[in-house]
């Protein structure tokens, strides 16, 4: 963030405190205006000539910048995942409880790794249980990976439909 005397351009395109366009003026005039109103002169971009600058309350520019960085980091960062384990012989009440838990996690923006532990010939039942869960979670999330079956069960990763 470039502010006040750090701005080296001779002319700047200035935006006022309420978002009004004050036009192109010299850097010294803009700094004088900022001091008069007891605010900071902040440069928004160095990619254009003259660079766009705005008047913003003291300290507010830094808070605004930190908020933008955090939002960017949240958007670009890896999706956190929780693991939910099930068995192929789950009762209906337990299934509904797990389904509500999954909906809360997906609505909160977390990915979910669903794992069904199976023994022997139960792998088809495990896969059928995961397909049922995916069908019930249709609007809240979608699968990131296909259902992977192995000798000990089946697994799938479900990501939220929309990231916060």
């Amino acid at each position: 963030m470039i502010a006040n005397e750090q701005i080296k351009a001779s002319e700047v395109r200035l935006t006022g405190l309420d978002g009004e366009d004050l036009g192109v003026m010299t850097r010294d005039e803009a700094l004088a205006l900022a001091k008069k109103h007891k605010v900071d002169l902040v440069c928004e971009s160095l990619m254009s000539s003259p660079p766009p600058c705005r008047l913003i309350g003291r300290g507010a520019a830094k808070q605004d910048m930190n908020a933008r960085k955090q939002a960017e980091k949240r958007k670009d960062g890896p999706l956190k995942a929780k693991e939910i384990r099930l068995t192929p012989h789950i009762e209906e009440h337990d299934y509904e409880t797990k389904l509500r838990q999954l909906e809360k996690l997906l609505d909160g923006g977390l990915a979910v790794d669903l794992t069904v532990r199976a023994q022997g010939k139960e792998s088809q039942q495990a896969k059928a249980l995961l397909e049922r869960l995916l069908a019930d979670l249709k609007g809240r999330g979608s699968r990131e990976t296909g259902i992977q079956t192995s000798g000990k069960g089946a697994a799938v990763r479900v990501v939220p439909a929309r990231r916060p």
Side-chain angles (χ1 to χ4, degrees), residues 79 81-82 111-115 127 130-131 134 141-149 154-160:
L79 203 55
K82 293 281 188 179
V112 180
D113 291 328
L114 294 172
T115 306
K127 187 174 180 180
L130 286 178
E131 288 172 351
L134 289 170
S142 59
R143 64 182 182 192
E144 183 180 68
T145 62
I147 297 176
Q148 300 155 347
T149 56
V156 67
R157 175 173 267 208
V158 182
V159 294

Side-chain angles (χ1 to χ4, degrees), residues 72-81 109-111 157 163:
E72 232 174 79
K73 194 183 283 185
R74 217 177 302 125
K75 186 171 46 174
D76 294 341
L79 203 55
K80 292 185 179 172
L110 294 172
R157 175 173 267 208
R163 287 182 75 173

Side-chain angles (χ1 to χ4, degrees), residues 49-62:
S49 181
C53 295
R54 63 183 168 131
L55 298 175
I56 189 166
R58 296 206 185 271
K62 199 165 197 170

Side-chain angles (χ1 to χ4, degrees), residues 57-130:
R58 296 206 185 271
K62 199 165 197 170
Q63 287 177 344
D64 187 40
M65 183 81 142
N66 288 341
R68 267 193 243 152
K69 279 184 182 177
Q70 284 180 347
E72 232 174 79
K73 194 183 283 185
R74 217 177 302 125
K75 186 171 46 174
D76 294 341
L79 203 55
K80 292 185 179 172
K82 293 281 188 179
E83 182 180 17
I84 301 291
R85 292 182 182 173
L86 305 155
T87 59
H89 302 291
I90 190 168
E91 292 189 19
E92 192 60 33
H93 177 269
D94 295 335
Y95 175 84
E96 290 170 4
T97 302
K98 290 289 186 182
L99 184 63
R100 280 194 308 273
Q101 184 181 11
L102 287 166
E103 288 172 347
K104 280 184 185 177
L105 290 171
L106 289 171
D107 289 344
L110 294 172
V112 180
D113 291 328
L114 294 172
T115 306
V116 180
R117 299 283 176 203
Q119 297 172 353
K121 297 181 181 180
E122 296 176 337
S123 64
Q124 291 304 318
Q125 290 174 318
K127 187 174 180 180
L129 177 63
L130 286 178

